[in-house]
Amino acid sequence: MKDAWVLVANGSEARLFHHTGKSLELVEQFLHPDSRRKDQEITSDHASHRETRTEGTASQRVYGSFPEPTDPHDFEIDRFARELDEKLEQHRAQNDFRELVLVAPPHFHGLVKKHMSGPLEKCVIREVSKDYTSVRERDLLEQLTPHLQ
């Protein structure tokens, strides 16, 4: 496989490469530090309030903390997956690539695929369910060679 793009990603960072057949050339790098922050750091920890009405009484304020509707950490990871898909879609629409190899751990891999448009999903020719984000760029081609042929 020659002249394909390779997305190597996890929930907080991603690198997009152009595979020329003999090398990987970095196209773009993405960081999403909010995905690594603790839930308490993502959301504020101050007391919330809501207004309630009961029949025959004036409105009352009820104070206390309310749980977030979704886990803030999961929300940030999902948001990063959507952002990556939007960027990939822009590159696809500009005909920057026609083939894409998606390399990500299983959970994040599923999130990225979930948000892909139909045309972008058709560009995906290989899927590797591994986290290679910590592999140095010069070693990455060796790790991915079996998947790039």
Side-chain angles (χ1 to χ4, degrees):
M1 157 190 354
K2 184 178 168 185
D3 216 26
W5 280 26
V6 180
L7 178 68
V8 178
N10 65 21
S12 63
E13 61 184 293
R15 292 179 289 171
L16 186 59
F17 295 95
H18 177 213
H19 179 246
T20 62
K22 295 182 180 182
S23 67
L24 291 173
E25 298 171 2
L26 184 65
V27 174
E28 205 164 347
Q29 188 164 353
F30 309 91
L31 297 173
H32 192 77
D34 285 345
S35 299
R36 289 192 170 180
R37 292 173 52 200
K38 295 181 180 176
D39 290 352
Q40 296 88 350
E41 295 173 352
I42 296 171
T43 60
S44 62
D45 198 41
H46 63 279
S48 302
H49 74 270
R50 65 179 175 180
E51 190 171 301
T52 60
R53 293 199 180 269
T54 55
E55 201 168 314
T57 65
S59 68
Q60 302 172 342
R61 293 203 187 273
V62 178
Y63 291 90
S65 294
F66 295 102
E68 293 293 319
T70 58
D71 179 78
H73 186 258
D74 290 344
F75 175 81
E76 287 300 329
I77 291 172
D78 188 69
R79 187 167 84 164
F80 185 50
R82 282 193 314 268
E83 290 172 3
L84 287 174
D85 281 330
E86 288 170 8
K87 194 63 168 173
L88 288 170
E89 181 58 35
Q90 288 173 359
H91 283 295
R92 186 207 60 80
Q94 295 170 354
N95 292 316
D96 293 338
F97 68 89
R98 295 194 318 179
E99 297 180 328
L100 178 67
V101 176
L102 177 59
V103 182
H107 177 72
F108 192 69
H109 181 117
L111 292 175
V112 172
K113 292 281 288 186
K114 176 177 103 173
H115 296 297
M116 281 187 175
S117 68
L120 180 58
E121 193 169 5
K122 289 179 184 176
C123 291
V124 177
I125 58 169
R126 296 260 194 301
E127 300 176 17
V128 180
S129 293
K130 295 196 179 221
D131 186 355
Y132 285 143
T133 56
S134 62
V135 176
R136 292 185 305 216
E137 196 170 323
R138 65 177 181 236
D139 300 328
L140 190 57
L141 184 59
E142 183 180 325
Q143 294 287 327
L144 292 176
T145 295
H147 307 286
L148 298 175
Q149 298 178 8

